[in-house]
């Protein structure tokens, strides 16, 4: 049967898509993004081993690939994002013994903690969250196929992958078979080559185990992801994501066992995000979880938010800084760059966000007669729908140019840092326009200036939604809504007292109120339309 019509249809579809380029760790170059079965795109991201509370380092991948999915969907693709949960592992077994409760209970508690933190950071694009323990049949069948194809061998209840049988082993991490090092301990004596890795581990006394053709045991780490990604996304899928620390051995081993099992490449594009570092102290959390470190990101960052000092996990950091601030902090650099974690960086992110929040308040005051606000604007949800002709409108011409630069940045390997820079430029342009047009609170909603302003700000809402930013009003840092309301009322009472003092020419009292508020982190902003406040 001829494939010409299908080929033409695919070519036509591809021709209408933007020219997105993706850096492929396998080829070490940026490649045009051309999914296997357009418009469908499959993405798999390695998720956490749920043995302890999540820390900020666990959020890097989910925030990045939540944003990647948002942008691809905005660009016309039908995207499926899979993030796995590793709920059987040496660390979980150890934690189960330490706490004297079932491993499944620990996994359930820590998974709930992980998902709660994802929600706070606006990560809501995940379609599947498969758990290893729910896929034991698929894992065992996968290993059996490798054994039948002579890519795996069993020894005393353990099953190992034979790296020598895979001629492409090491291509992802650029290592030769001679450079590989596998598990040590008792397993080392059973292996044919040092680089062979475990697919199935025989059960030790007291450990959780499953029945298998090789006896009671549990899966190795790498085989879990291969089996789950295959179950949901098929033999070959478009994008596999994860941190650089997972490239070897985890992703290298995934790639080997999957391609040997199915006789096809596992993944078309390998995307690896840079690691988070606590100043000059190294990777946040120490080495990979699989390499024996239990140090949290908070402990690595000078002990300022340390579990050992009574603080919790990421949830405490979110309460202190808000989820949006943390998301913004993670996106303001390119995903392949190192993220330097610290309180100063988070504080800077908060200061940067205040630039946007102040503008949103200013905009809402100007368009108050329209009964809307920034957060109630209805932006275009696709790239195509958001395109517009600015005609001879100077403001819209500038915003159109900013939109094009934003899209160009995201097309170039999802450069969120450069895209955010364009959002900052847009705020400068919008504030200059408001000043030059002398737009005041309650301006005429039918005036040309206000109509142009609303159109321009709607574009900014469209672009920020692509990054998962500014989706809802953010409560002030540190406290619930009742506390925030009380603080707002208190500060406004002091603003009125200061106003009265200055009206009575008691400038010393007015200055004292301003200075004392500054000492507790409240900055007063004197504008011609009145005084407002923000956290400093």
């Amino acid at each position: 049967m001829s494939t010409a019509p299908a080929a033409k249809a695919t070519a036509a579809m591809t021709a209408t898509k933007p020219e997105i380029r993706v850096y492929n760790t396998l080829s070490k170059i940026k490649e045009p993004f051309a999914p296997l079965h357009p418009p469908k795109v499959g993405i798999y991201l390695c998720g956490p081993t749920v043995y302890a509370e999540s820390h900020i380092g666990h959020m890097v991948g989910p925030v990045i690939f939540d944003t990647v999915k948002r942008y691809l969907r905005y660009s016309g693709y039908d995207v499926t994002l899979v993030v796995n949960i590793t709920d059987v592992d040496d660390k979980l077994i150890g934690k189960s013994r330490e706490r004297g409760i079932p491993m499944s209970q620990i996994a359930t508690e820590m998974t709930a903690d992980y998902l709660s933190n994802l929600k706070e950071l606006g990560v809501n694009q995940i379609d599947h969250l498969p758990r290893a323990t729910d896929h034991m049949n698929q894992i065992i069948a996968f290993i059996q196929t490798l054994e039948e194809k002579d890519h795996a061998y069993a020894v005393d209840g353990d099953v190992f992958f034979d790296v020598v049988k895979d001629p492409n082993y090491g291509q992802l991490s650029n290592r030769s078979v001679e450079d590989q090092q596998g598990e040590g301990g008792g397993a080392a004596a059973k292996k044919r080559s040092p680089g062979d890795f475990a697919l199935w581990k025989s059960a030790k006394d007291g450990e959780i185990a499953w029945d298998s053709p090789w006896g009671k045991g549990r899966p190795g780490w790498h085989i879990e992801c291969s089996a789950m990604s295959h179950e949901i996304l098929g033999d070959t899928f478009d994008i596999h994501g994860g941190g650089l620390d997972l490239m070897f051995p985890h992703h290298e081993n995934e790639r080997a066992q999957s391609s040997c099992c199915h006789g096809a490449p596992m993944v078309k594009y390998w995307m690896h995000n840079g690691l988070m570092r606590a100043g000059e102290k190294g990777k946040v959390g120490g080495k990979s979880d699989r390499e024996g470190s239990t140090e949290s990101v908070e402990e690595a960052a000078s002990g300022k938010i340390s579990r050992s000092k009574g603080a919790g996990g990421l949830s405490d950091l979110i309460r202190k800084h808000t989820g949006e601030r943390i998301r913004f902090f993670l996106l303001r650099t390119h995903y392949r760059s190192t993220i330097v974690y610290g309180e100063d960086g988070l504080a800077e992110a908060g200061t940067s966000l205040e630039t946007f929040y102040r503008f949103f308040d200013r905009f809402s005051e100007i368009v108050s007669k329209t009964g809307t606000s920034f957060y109630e604007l209805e932006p275009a949800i696709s790239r195509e729908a958001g395109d517009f002709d600015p005609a001879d409108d100077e403001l819209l011409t500038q915003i159109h140019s900013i939109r094009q630069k934003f899209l160009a940045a995201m097309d170039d390997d999802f450069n969120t840092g450069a895209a955010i820079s364009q959002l900052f430029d847009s705020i400068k342009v919008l504030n200059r326009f408001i000043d030059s047009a002398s737009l005041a609170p309650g301006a005429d909603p039918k005036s040309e200036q206000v109509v142009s302003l609303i159109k321009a700000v709607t574009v900014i809402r469209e672009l920020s939604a692509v990054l998962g930013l500014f989706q809802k009003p953010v409560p002030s840092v540190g406290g619930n809504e009742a506390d925030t309301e009380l603080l707002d009322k208190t500060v406004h009472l002091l603003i009125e007292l200061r106003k009265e003092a200055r009206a009575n020419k008691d400038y010393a009292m007015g200055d004292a109120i301003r200075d004392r508020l500054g000492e507790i982190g409240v900055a007063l902003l004197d504008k011609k339309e009145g005084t407002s406040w923000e956290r400093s």
Side-chain angles (χ1 to χ4, degrees), residues 134-246:
D134 291 335
H135 290 77
M136 209 55 63
N137 291 337
Q138 291 92 334
I139 291 170
I140 290 171
F142 201 116
I143 298 172
Q144 285 180 297
T145 301
L146 285 172
E147 194 175 26
E148 291 166 3
K149 292 187 173 184
D150 198 30
H151 285 287
Y153 58 94
V155 182
D156 298 333
D158 293 331
V159 184
F160 299 96
F161 183 85
D162 192 340
V163 296
V164 175
K165 298 288 181 66
D166 179 13
N168 297 317
Y169 191 82
Q171 284 187 354
L172 181 62
S173 57
N174 197 29
R175 301 188 184 206
S176 66
V177 171
E178 290 73 23
D179 294 332
Q180 314 309 324
Q181 292 295 325
E183 297 91 346
K190 299 180 180 181
K191 296 188 294 185
R192 295 175 182 172
S193 301
D196 293 353
F197 55 89
L199 302 172
W200 187 261
K201 298 181 178 183
S202 57
K204 298 176 183 176
D205 291 342
E207 286 186 351
I208 187 170
W210 286 262
D211 291 325
S212 80
W214 314 282
K216 285 187 173 294
R218 57 187 174 83
W221 172 29
H222 318 297
I223 195 66
E224 296 173 0
C225 284
S226 283
M228 288 186 284
S229 63
H230 178 261
E231 176 70 14
I232 299 170
L233 299 175
D235 290 359
T236 306
F237 53 93
D238 297 292
I239 295 173
H240 194 315
L244 274 173
D245 57 335
L246 296 179

Side-chain angles (χ1 to χ4, degrees), residues 206-489:
E207 286 186 351
I208 187 170
W210 286 262
D211 291 325
S212 80
W214 314 282
K216 285 187 173 294
R218 57 187 174 83
W221 172 29
H222 318 297
I223 195 66
E224 296 173 0
C225 284
S226 283
M228 288 186 284
S229 63
H230 178 261
E231 176 70 14
I232 299 170
L233 299 175
D235 290 359
T236 306
F237 53 93
D238 297 292
I239 295 173
H240 194 315
L244 274 173
D245 57 335
L246 296 179
M247 181 168 59
F248 182 84
H250 185 46
H251 290 166
E252 190 71 77
N253 292 351
E254 273 189 72
R255 178 174 174 265
Q257 63 201 7
S258 290
S259 60
C260 289
C261 182
H262 308 302
M266 179 187 185
V267 174
K268 186 169 185 181
Y269 305 98
W270 289 89
M271 291 177 62
H272 288 94
N273 58 269
L275 304 182
M276 179 173 285
R277 298 187 181 278
E280 300 300 322
K281 295 190 175 185
K283 173 183 172 288
V284 160
K287 294 183 178 181
S288 165
D289 283 347
R290 298 292 176 156
E291 297 180 75
S293 172
T294 58
E295 184 182 35
S296 72
V297 56
E298 292 85 4
E299 291 164 340
S302 305
K304 290 186 178 179
I305 307 177
S306 168
R307 290 194 184 103
S308 65
K309 296 187 178 182
L314 178 60
S315 56
D316 279 357
L317 198 65
I318 291 172
R319 278 191 289 272
K320 184 174 183 179
H321 291 285
T322 76
E324 179 153 87
R325 181 185 293 188
I326 295 171
R327 184 183 182 105
F328 181 84
F329 170 74
L330 297 178
L331 291 178
R332 65 181 185 168
T333 55
H334 189 278
Y335 77 87
R336 288 192 285 117
S337 300
T338 298
I339 300 172
V340 179
Y341 170 83
E343 284 290 322
D344 289 345
L346 285 170
E348 289 174 10
T351 301
S352 297
L353 282 175
E354 287 296 336
T355 300
F356 293 94
Y357 297 154
R358 284 196 299 271
F359 174 78
F360 300 157
D361 288 343
R362 188 183 192 189
F363 170 75
S364 296
E365 290 172 357
I366 291 171
V367 301
S368 59
K369 289 185 177 180
T370 66
T372 190
S373 69
F374 174 83
Y375 295 99
E376 295 168 312
L377 295 173
E378 296 186 3
I381 61 173
S382 72
R383 182 174 184 147
E384 184 178 10
D387 197 14
F388 67 97
D389 180 3
D392 57 355
D393 187 304
E394 184 177 351
L395 172 63
L396 294 183
T397 297
Q398 293 180 76
I399 294 299
H400 185 271
S401 175
I402 285 171
R403 182 178 185 271
Q404 294 302 106
K405 293 175 183 176
F406 178 100
L407 298 178
M410 291 298 289
D411 284 345
D412 187 13
D413 196 29
F414 310 105
N415 192 340
T416 57
I420 285 174
S421 293
Q422 293 304 315
L423 292 182
F424 274 110
D425 286 349
S426 73
I427 299 302
K428 293 177 185 177
V429 167
L430 290 164
N431 276 321
R432 283 200 300 266
F433 174 78
I434 291 171
D435 291 340
S436 63
S438 300
L439 293 176
D444 180 3
K446 295 182 180 179
S447 70
E448 290 184 7
Q449 293 95 333
V450 171
V451 171
S452 290
L453 178 65
I454 291 174
K455 170 63 178 174
V457 176
T458 302
V459 174
I460 304 313
R461 181 136 168 78
E462 170 195 342
L463 301 181
S464 59
V466 170
L467 302 178
L469 296 172
F470 315 133
Q471 297 305 285
K472 60 182 179 180
V474 180
S476 297
V477 171
N480 59 33
E481 291 183 6
D483 293 336
T484 301
E485 183 178 358
L486 177 61
L487 176 62
D488 185 63
K489 289 180 178 179

Side-chain angles (χ1 to χ4, degrees), residues 61-78:
V63 167
I64 288 168
F65 285 92
D66 175 271
T67 306
V68 168
K69 175 178 174 178
R70 288 173 184 270
Y71 190 67
L72 291 177
R73 186 183 62 182
Y74 170 77
S75 299
Y77 293 103
D78 178 9

Side-chain angles (χ1 to χ4, degrees), residues 21-33 268-271 335-336 412-413:
R21 295 185 298 156
V22 178
Y23 183 85
N24 190 343
T25 310
L26 182 62
S27 65
K28 307 296 187 293
I29 61 172
K30 291 179 185 178
E31 301 177 8
F33 181 64
K268 186 169 185 181
Y269 305 98
W270 289 89
M271 291 177 62
Y335 77 87
R336 288 192 285 117
D412 187 13
D413 196 29

